[in-house]
């Protein structure tokens, strides 16, 4: 079995508050893994460790080891831009940048390559490919110059996925990607994940247990900073080992 | 159906009516004050403006001899050039420093340092202009004489350094607000794509905040154009078409300040000074109008 991410004895503090307690997890390659648990259980925090984006908030202390694609991301020689190039992230609220659709798709490439290294034909082609793979090309091919922030939310979220693709990431982290979308938008994003799952490793944090059941192959249940159970999704929902897990999946709390 | 009835002032309690009236008055008073100032300045200068003053000569002649006994000449060209050149030079220094400082304070420094910076910047903004003039007259004067080996240090360069120091705090605080107003989700999005902090600044924040940054620069420029005391003391106050940063100049504002106290009320010279006031008013009006149009133009894009 090939693992994209392996975390060992991961502990994390926000100031004095310990948000992750001794988390050990192995995330398999090329499939969708979901992270569930009640609010404040640390699932978003764990997700945000994988590309170290939670270090933006000053007072974070992390101990332990996370290997992404075989490399410990807390080693001193790790370059954050390179890590984030390999591990893309989609946020809860769609957050396209306030520039055109076209430039949003190319943003990642532009910051990772020297100035003017792309020809117009190349960049046109990249934009078309990326938007096609998220099923936006038909809708947006005549509106590439519009500001991305003026699109519908569903289109914005798909665009946020599309702009990761030109960087050819290995892993895509999704932090409740559908919570701002309606049922139709949710369905569209889920279908998109299923189509892309073979190529990329997806990790999705969700509050929606039906969604976890629908899309993910493996499922991780977290509670108060601890990883309680990590099993195949169908097994976790039908035959949970832990009492806390069964309480949660049967919606006794959360 | 009482709650659905159309709202009218008759139904409001008395106190509510009074408060609304008061707030309305406050709002309209801005307009009244601006028009009032314009009216009185215009009234003082109007007589000579329409009857006797050669406007072409007023705007294009560099000869400013308002107290000559037999040949009074009122040419403000040198003064206009003085105002614009000293402002332009000041902006060349203040804009990079001001925007740079704003970017540093808002994006790069620690929260603790940021508080210190803000206090210091506010302190800088609170220094009276006559104190800046005093610094220009003594300290900067000596410095320019020594560094440039100039005969005298009271020059355009001196005045514009003072103006730059005065407009930097304005530029910093408004530009910092503009940067702070950019939603954090944009920074997060860019960082999660692997952007470095500097890439976040020039690829995301500067485009997103350009309206506010432009407003900061224009307000800084407006401060420079309107400034009187510091330029009066630091630029040499001598009517002269500037030939370089080390030439002495005189500005429109300094002329009014220096001469208005010594003219007879209602005199031609007195009226010309008010016409200079109208000219300054027009310049600031045009600057503001351009700013508005530019900002609207950006918005429609």
């Amino acid at each position: 079995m090939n693992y994209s991410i392996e975390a060992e004895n991961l502990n994390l503090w926000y100031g004095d508050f310990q948000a992750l307690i001794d988390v050990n997890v192995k995330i398999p390659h090329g499939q969708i893994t979901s992270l569930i648990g009640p609010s404040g259980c640390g699932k978003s925090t764990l997700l945000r460790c994988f590309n170290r984006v939670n270090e933006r908030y000053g007072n974070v202390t992390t101990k332990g080891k996370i290997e992404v694609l075989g490399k410990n991301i807390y080693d001193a020689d790790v370059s954050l831009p390179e890590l984030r190039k390999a591990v893309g992230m989609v946020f809860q609220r769609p957050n396209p940048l306030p520039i055109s659709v076209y430039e949003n798709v190319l943003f990642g490439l532009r910051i990772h390559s020297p100035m003017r290294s792309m020809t117009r034909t190349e960049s046109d082609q990249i934009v078309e490919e990326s938007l096609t793979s998220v099923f936006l090309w038909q809708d947006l091919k005549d509106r590439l110059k519009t500001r991305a922030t003026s699109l519908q939310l569903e289109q914005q979220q798909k665009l946020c996925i599309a702009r990761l693709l030109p960087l050819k990431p290995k892993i895509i982290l999704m932090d409740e990607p559908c919570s701002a979308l309606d049922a139709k938008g949710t369905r569209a994003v889920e279908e998109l994940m299923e189509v892309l799952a073979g190529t990329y490793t997806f990790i999705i944090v969700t509050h929606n247990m039906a969604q976890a059941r629908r899309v993910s192959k493996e499922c991780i249940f977290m509670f108060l900073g601890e990883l309680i159970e990590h099993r195949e999704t169908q097994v976790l929902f039908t035959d949970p080992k832990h009492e806390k897990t069964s309480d949660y999946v049967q919606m006794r709390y959360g | 159906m009482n709650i659905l009835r159309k709202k009218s002032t008759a139904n409001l309690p008395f106190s509510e009516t009074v408060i609304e009236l008061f707030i309305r008055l406050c709002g309209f008073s801005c307009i009244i004050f601006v028009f009032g100032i314009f009216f009185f300045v215009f009234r003082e200068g109007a007589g000579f403006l329409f009857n006797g003053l050669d406007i072409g000569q007023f705007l294009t002649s560099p000869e400013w001899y308002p107290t000559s006994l037999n040949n009074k000449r009122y040419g403000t060209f040198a003064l206009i050039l003085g105002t614009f050149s000293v402002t332009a030079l000041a902006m060349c220094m203040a804009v990079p420093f001001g925007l740079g400082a704003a970017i540093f304070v808002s994006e790069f420094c620690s929260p603790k340092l940021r508080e210190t910076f803000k206090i210091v910047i506010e302190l800088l903004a609170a220094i009276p202009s006559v104190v800046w003039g005093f610094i220009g007259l003594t300290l900067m004067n000596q410095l320019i004489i020594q560094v440039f080996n100039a005969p005298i240090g009271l020059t355009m360069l001196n005045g514009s350094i003072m103006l730059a120091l005065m407009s930097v705090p304005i530029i910093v605080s408004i530009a910092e607000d503009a940067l702070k107003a950019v939603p954090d989700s944009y920074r997060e999005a860019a960082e999660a794509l692997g952007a470095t902090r500097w890439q976040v600044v020039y690829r995301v924040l500067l485009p997103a905040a350009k309206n506010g940054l432009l407003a900061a620069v224009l307000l800084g420029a407006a401060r420079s154009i309107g400034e009187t005391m510091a330029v009066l003391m630091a630029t040499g106050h001598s009517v002269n078409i500037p030939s370089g940063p080390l030439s002495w100049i005189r500005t429109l504002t300094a002329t009014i300040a220096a001469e208005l106290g010594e003219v007879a009320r209602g005199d031609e010279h007195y009226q010309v000074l008010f016409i200079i006031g109208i000219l300054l008013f027009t310049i600031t009006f045009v600057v503001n109008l351009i700013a508005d149009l530019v900002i609207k133009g950006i918005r429609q894009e």
Side-chain angles (χ1 to χ4, degrees), chain A residues 37-92:
Chain A
S39 298
C41 70
K43 55 193 190 302
S44 276
T45 301
L46 179 62
L47 189 78
R48 284 160 169 265
C49 283
F50 297 149
N51 65 352
R52 291 179 61 182
V53 83
N54 54 1
E55 284 167 36
R56 308 181 64 236
Y57 310 111
N59 61 344
V60 178
T61 328
T62 320
K63 283 198 180 122
K65 191 169 140 188
I66 301 177
E67 283 193 355
V68 171
L69 308 166
K71 168 84 184 147
N72 183 6
I73 59 170
Y74 288 102
D75 279 352
D77 65 336
V78 163
S79 134
L80 281 186
E82 286 305 313
L83 169 66
R84 288 165 185 175
K85 194 177 156 187
V87 186
M89 186 161 202
V90 178
F91 293 83
Q92 189 168 0

Side-chain angles (χ1 to χ4, degrees), chain B residues 105-188:
Chain B
V105 171
S106 122
E107 305 301 319
F108 289 90
C109 77
S110 68
K112 218 172 175 184
L113 195 62
R114 178 179 307 146
E115 287 312 304
T116 322
F117 264 110
K118 280 181 141 175
I119 292 167
V120 172
I121 287 163
E122 274 160 29
L123 211 64
L124 201 63
I127 295 175
S129 64
V130 67
V131 174
W132 285 119
F134 181 70
I135 294 171
L137 202 57
T138 54
L139 189 82
M140 194 55 72
N141 183 23
Q142 290 301 323
L143 210 65
I144 289 176
I145 290 175
Q146 279 167 22
V147 172
F148 295 98
N149 205 9
I152 190 156
L154 299 176
T155 55
M156 182 170 124
L157 178 66
N158 190 335
S160 53
I161 292 172
M162 293 305 124
L163 287 182
L165 285 165
M166 293 164 88
S167 31
V168 157
I170 295 179
I171 296 179
V172 174
S173 51
I174 297 175
E176 200 230 333
D177 285 344
L179 291 170
K180 273 269 143 325
V182 176
D184 194 49
S185 63
Y186 293 164
R187 294 184 186 84
E188 195 173 51

